[in-house]
Amino acid sequence: MEEKATEISTIGEFGLIDRLTRDFPLRNKSSLKGVGDDCAVMEYKDTEVLVSTDLLVEGIHFDLTYVPLKHLGYKAAVVNFSDIYAMNGHPRQITVSLAISKRFTVEHMEELYSGIRLACDIYGVDLVGGDTTSSRSGLIISVTAIGDAPAGNIAYRSGAKDTDLICVSGDLGAAYMGLQLLEREKVASAGQKDFVPQFSGKEYLIERQLKPEARRDVIENLAKEGIVPTSMMDISDGLSSELLHICKASDCGCRVYEDRIPIDYQTAVMAEELNMNLVTAAMNGGEDYELLFTVPLHAHEAIRKIPGVHVIGHITKPSIGAALITRDGAEIPIRAQGWNHMTPD
Ligand code: ADP
Ligand code: MG
């Protein structure tokens, strides 16, 4: 069956905005007016407001040869929610801005928005606006998320103190391995018509790359336990890089233990296949969107009750720097080797 392909010019910019945004209900009290006027209107009472923006450029941040548009929409929204959770807040609204090149149809954009809608449904966030324009090369998506946190609850990067415990949620390195796998299959498929990619036994890696989740559950469980992290951020560029950010912002050092870094079995298998050092991949692979945070020592018992949270080390005085303690007790200075989209090939 031929897929329907409606050129965007046939319905125009306003027609497109209408098609894309009509099925987005407003469900947060703070959303007074969504799409349809010159501005969205929000009312935030007795709370601090969090704002975060991400810009995603085709060919730099995503590759549509293996990323389905629905997944792209989902991920673009979720990674912004992750930034709000990483401040110990809750996302309430997003705006989505698009620059679209000629090769995209109305149906393509509807696919993208079906992913955004799914993310909004699952995380309880309202789409309240955006902007739409054309592009000469590829697709560009900018998402802004707005959220809130009660005054005094916001977790900055700058609050970690000597002896605090360092915690991470979930496991690390899987999204990076998923990307390696997708890239490998892309190369293998070049020029082949009926290519079937080999993902069997590696589904988790693909899911972590294509459909990441933000750790709302951890934020809710921290609140339940009455814990406000002394510092927190989400792991988008790799654990090493994020640890150094916290150490710099908090003027401290850290010790993390190699044998405590949570790694999934599939990540380990893939690292072996690719002849990569597993711990290096887990420390430096990007896009896990797990939470990295610090808590005072006395919170240890409460932290142990939270599913999926691991204590991986502790904060130290700044003078001894940031280091990884290997299984055999050696100290290796932590360096940021996080992938950097701005680095030319
Ligand atoms: P303006 O001329 O003020 O930029 P637009 O005609 O671009 O307004 O947008 C009309 C309405 O549609 C506004 O409420 C705007 O926020 C919303 N909007 C525009 N593009 C998008 C988009 N890609 N996604 C969601 N909302 C959008
Ligand atoms: Mg506009």
Side-chain angles (χ1 to χ4, degrees):
M1 204 176 76
E2 196 53 5
E3 267 180 58
K4 216 172 153 215
T6 312
E7 261 188 56
I8 291 173
S9 60
T10 61
I11 62 169
E13 180 190 325
F14 298 123
L16 179 67
I17 295 170
D18 197 43
R19 281 271 278 272
L20 296 181
T21 61
R22 64 187 165 194
D23 286 330
F24 283 87
L26 297 185
R27 50 198 135 200
N28 285 296
K29 274 203 313 279
S30 51
S31 306
L32 300 188
K33 170 76 189 172
V35 172
D37 213 312
D38 297 310
C39 287
V41 183
M42 279 153 317
E43 180 173 58
Y44 278 101
K45 287 182 188 150
D46 306 322
T47 175
E48 286 175 2
V49 180
L50 304 163
V51 180
S52 173
T53 295
D54 258 327
L55 181 61
L56 301 174
V57 177
E58 185 179 359
I60 306 284
H61 303 99
F62 58 89
D63 184 336
L64 291 173
T65 52
Y66 54 74
V67 178
L69 280 161
K70 182 172 180 180
H71 287 72
L72 179 63
Y74 189 85
K75 182 168 174 176
V78 163
V79 303
N80 273 275
F81 304 162
S82 179
D83 278 321
I84 305 282
Y85 292 125
M87 301 298 284
N88 206 26
H90 285 273
R92 306 294 181 196
Q93 291 89 18
I94 52 168
T95 64
V96 177
S97 298
L98 303 175
I100 312 168
S101 75
K102 279 222 172 75
R103 73 175 213 275
F104 294 94
T105 64
V106 174
E107 288 76 15
H108 285 139
M109 292 301 107
E110 284 183 322
E111 272 297 299
L112 181 76
Y113 270 62
S114 71
I116 296 172
R117 185 178 309 111
L118 183 62
C120 285
D121 286 346
I122 290 175
Y123 290 89
V125 175
D126 301 331
L127 175 74
V128 296
D131 201 19
T132 307
T133 187
S134 44
S135 144
R136 280 181 197 272
S137 63
L139 179 65
I140 300 170
I141 309 169
S142 174
V143 177
T144 296
I146 300 150
D148 59 0
N153 273 27
I154 294 180
Y156 296 92
R157 297 176 180 187
S158 54
K161 298 275 182 308
D162 188 17
T163 78
D164 280 357
L165 299 172
I166 302 173
C167 308
V168 295
S169 63
D171 59 79
L172 301 178
Y176 175 75
M177 286 304 171
L179 182 66
Q180 301 309 306
L181 183 58
L182 288 162
E183 289 282 351
R184 184 178 81 182
E185 296 303 294
K186 179 186 169 182
V187 171
S189 75
Q192 295 189 47
K193 222 167 145 233
D194 298 312
F195 183 81
V196 182
Q198 297 298 314
F199 295 147
S200 162
K202 302 200 168 65
E203 293 81 2
Y204 179 66
L205 306 179
I206 301 295
E207 183 167 327
R208 292 285 284 174
Q209 172 57 225
L210 292 184
K211 194 166 180 286
E213 300 294 349
R215 296 307 299 260
R216 172 171 59 180
D217 61 318
V218 173
I219 297 309
E220 287 170 352
N221 281 321
L222 285 168
K224 226 182 272 167
E225 297 297 334
I227 302 170
V228 176
T230 49
S231 70
M232 181 153 60
M233 57 189 299
D234 67 341
I235 304 177
S236 52
D237 293 332
L239 178 63
S240 298
S241 154
E242 320 304 20
L243 278 169
L244 293 176
H245 281 305
I246 285 186
C247 287
K248 189 169 177 211
S250 299
D251 189 25
C252 63
C254 70
R255 290 292 176 273
V256 301
Y257 295 85
E258 178 184 7
D259 58 358
R260 301 222 196 137
I261 293 170
I263 298 172
D264 187 80
Y265 173 73
Q266 291 189 13
T267 308
V269 171
M270 189 71 199
E272 185 147 335
E273 265 184 54
L274 295 176
N275 252 320
M276 273 185 186
N277 180 291
L278 177 58
V279 175
T280 306
M283 294 280 297
N284 300 296
E287 301 200 293
D288 291 310
Y289 300 105
E290 294 295 343
L291 292 170
L292 167 66
F293 58 96
T294 56
V295 296
L297 258 180
H298 63 73
H300 194 213
E301 277 312 301
I303 280 293
R304 281 165 51 123
K305 290 190 215 148
I306 303 182
V309 169
H310 312 267
V311 176
I312 60 164
H314 58 270
I315 295 293
T316 66
K317 294 192 168 53
S319 54
I320 66 167
L324 177 75
I325 313 291
T326 64
R327 279 168 218 279
D328 43 24
E331 271 191 20
I332 302 178
I334 293 173
R335 282 196 200 85
Q337 309 173 5
W339 63 357
N340 185 344
H341 289 301
M342 302 302 276
T343 309
D345 291 329

